[in-house]
Amino acid sequence: MNEGEGDAAIPPIEAGPAPPPAAPERPSDEDILAQQNLLRAEQAQRSEYVGNEEPLSALKEEYINGNQNFVSKIQKLEATYKAFRRTRGDGNCFYRGLVFAYLEGLLLNQDMAECERFTSVVQSWKGRLVEGGFQELVFEDAMELLLDQVKAVRKPQSDFGHEGLLINMRDDMVSNMIVMFLRLVTSCEVQLHEDRFFPFILGMYDEPPATVELFCQRYVEPMGEESDHLHIVAVAEALQIPVRVVYLDSSGAPSGGGSGLEVTTHDFVPDSCPPGTTPRVHLLYRPGHYDILYPR
């Protein structure tokens, strides 16, 4: 056998088509939610807890190239509201907007009678919170910080003015401790009137917490948890502050002539208020967020 005679050339094995690249793994719902929360937190850190007063035209500009129903509603709001003030979108915007707008009203109107009434109501919550199982050590300093803002309004010849209130409510410690106190008051109010609030809880969640106490521990007391109808009812009752919420969303019936949707408003007036009581605080609700409104 000649050299190489038995070594017949072996044809190369032809490679088949390359497998398609693996599809990127879809992020889980938890990953998506975590990313959204991170973006939201980063955006929130770039804004003040309480912003400056702005004309409603600034809000309208946000939607001028997008949601025309919102533009139409804002145009209607301009007939009754002159301005708005943004609050940080950190989940605490309802409480922060509520307390700033209320204290600002006391300051601008120099309403001494209301200062005294509010002080008395806040002080009365000390005993109720303790009876409700909250440790005085946890909330006492926060309660005093809130009362300090009212004292500054009442003090004759005080140099505490609008700028002073803004500085305090933009301060991390002062602002967040006051919000924390309001959350505890809301929680205690809900638990003290369980029969009234438990039907709300049952209607709000597919898997509602088993008890009002568990609901409050999960959705009311923690900082950053968003607020809805139940929270507004509870804190308005607890502090006896009438609140109006204007809803900038897709709710409402078409207005006459087909020019967009009517603005939906809801007044949360405590049972203790006499008939005809007008709201002391006006808030603008956009899905997931509350800002402050200023009536004309």
Side-chain angles (χ1 to χ4, degrees), residues 125-196:
W125 272 101
K126 183 175 182 177
R128 278 181 276 179
L129 285 168
V130 171
E131 291 174 7
F134 297 95
Q135 295 184 13
E136 188 173 335
L137 184 65
V138 171
F139 66 81
E140 187 174 32
D141 288 346
M143 184 183 78
E144 289 303 321
L145 279 173
L146 175 55
L147 292 176
D148 284 345
Q149 312 310 305
V150 183
K151 289 175 185 175
V153 173
R154 297 173 63 183
K155 189 176 179 181
Q157 280 82 45
S158 171
D159 59 358
F160 180 83
H162 203 247
E163 188 63 26
L165 178 62
L166 267 174
I167 290 171
N168 286 350
M169 291 306 298
R170 288 173 175 175
D171 179 84
D172 280 335
M173 189 269 288
V174 175
S175 193
N176 286 326
M177 286 189 72
I178 290 175
V179 168
M180 180 202 73
F181 175 72
L182 295 181
R183 284 185 173 278
L184 297 185
V185 167
T186 304
S187 173
C188 197
E189 174 73 16
V190 172
Q191 293 182 68
L192 286 172
H193 299 91
E194 181 174 341
D195 291 345
R196 177 178 185 179

Side-chain angles (χ1 to χ4, degrees), residues 94 98 102 114 117-118 121 125 128 189 193 196-197 229-245 266-281:
F94 164 69
L98 170 74
Y102 177 74
E114 178 64 12
R117 184 206 67 80
F118 182 71
V121 168
W125 272 101
R128 278 181 276 179
E189 174 73 16
H193 299 91
R196 177 178 185 179
F197 289 104
H229 188 96
L230 179 147
H231 303 74
I232 304 172
V233 171
V235 77
E237 285 287 348
L239 301 177
Q240 298 169 32
I241 298 175
V243 178
R244 172 170 293 172
V245 178
H266 190 93
D267 288 352
F268 298 84
V269 180
D271 294 337
S272 59
C273 292
T277 296
T278 58
R280 285 185 171 272
V281 170

Side-chain angles (χ1 to χ4, degrees), residues 3-156:
E3 186 179 353
E5 198 173 340
D7 297 330
I10 300 174
I13 299 174
E14 294 186 6
E25 186 177 345
R26 180 188 178 277
S28 67
D29 291 342
E30 290 78 10
D31 291 337
I32 294 172
L33 182 59
Q35 184 179 29
Q36 289 175 341
N37 288 338
L38 178 62
L39 292 172
R40 174 180 167 186
E42 291 174 350
Q43 177 64 35
Q45 291 300 320
R46 292 195 288 268
S47 62
E48 297 279 11
Y49 286 129
V50 180
N52 295 321
E53 193 172 322
E54 300 178 59
L56 280 176
S57 58
L59 182 63
K60 187 164 56 178
E61 282 298 316
E62 293 184 21
Y63 302 102
I64 201 71
N65 295 319
N67 192 323
Q68 294 306 304
N69 280 331
F70 278 24
V71 172
S72 175
K73 284 191 171 187
I74 295 167
Q75 287 173 335
K76 292 172 184 175
L77 284 179
E78 288 178 310
T80 51
Y81 291 96
K82 61 183 179 181
F84 80 112
R85 188 187 297 272
R86 301 177 195 268
T87 62
R88 180 181 289 188
D90 58 0
N92 301 310
C93 53
F94 164 69
Y95 290 102
R96 216 178 309 270
L98 170 74
V99 72
F100 181 87
Y102 177 74
L103 292 171
E104 185 182 36
L106 296 182
L107 179 66
L108 297 179
N109 297 320
Q110 286 295 290
D111 192 339
M112 296 300 107
E114 178 64 12
C115 285
E116 292 179 9
R117 184 206 67 80
F118 182 71
T119 298
S120 177
V121 168
V122 171
Q123 290 172 335
S124 74
W125 272 101
K126 183 175 182 177
R128 278 181 276 179
L129 285 168
V130 171
E131 291 174 7
F134 297 95
Q135 295 184 13
E136 188 173 335
L137 184 65
V138 171
F139 66 81
E140 187 174 32
D141 288 346
M143 184 183 78
E144 289 303 321
L145 279 173
L146 175 55
L147 292 176
D148 284 345
Q149 312 310 305
V150 183
K151 289 175 185 175
V153 173
R154 297 173 63 183
K155 189 176 179 181

Side-chain angles (χ1 to χ4, degrees), residues 181-221:
F181 175 72
L182 295 181
R183 284 185 173 278
L184 297 185
V185 167
T186 304
S187 173
C188 197
E189 174 73 16
V190 172
Q191 293 182 68
L192 286 172
H193 299 91
E194 181 174 341
D195 291 345
R196 177 178 185 179
F197 289 104
F198 195 55
F200 283 98
I201 296 169
L202 291 175
M204 285 165 54
Y205 303 95
D206 293 333
E207 297 181 6
T211 66
V212 167
E213 182 180 7
L214 288 174
F215 167 81
C216 289
Q217 290 174 356
R218 181 175 178 183
Y219 295 109
V220 181
E221 295 167 20

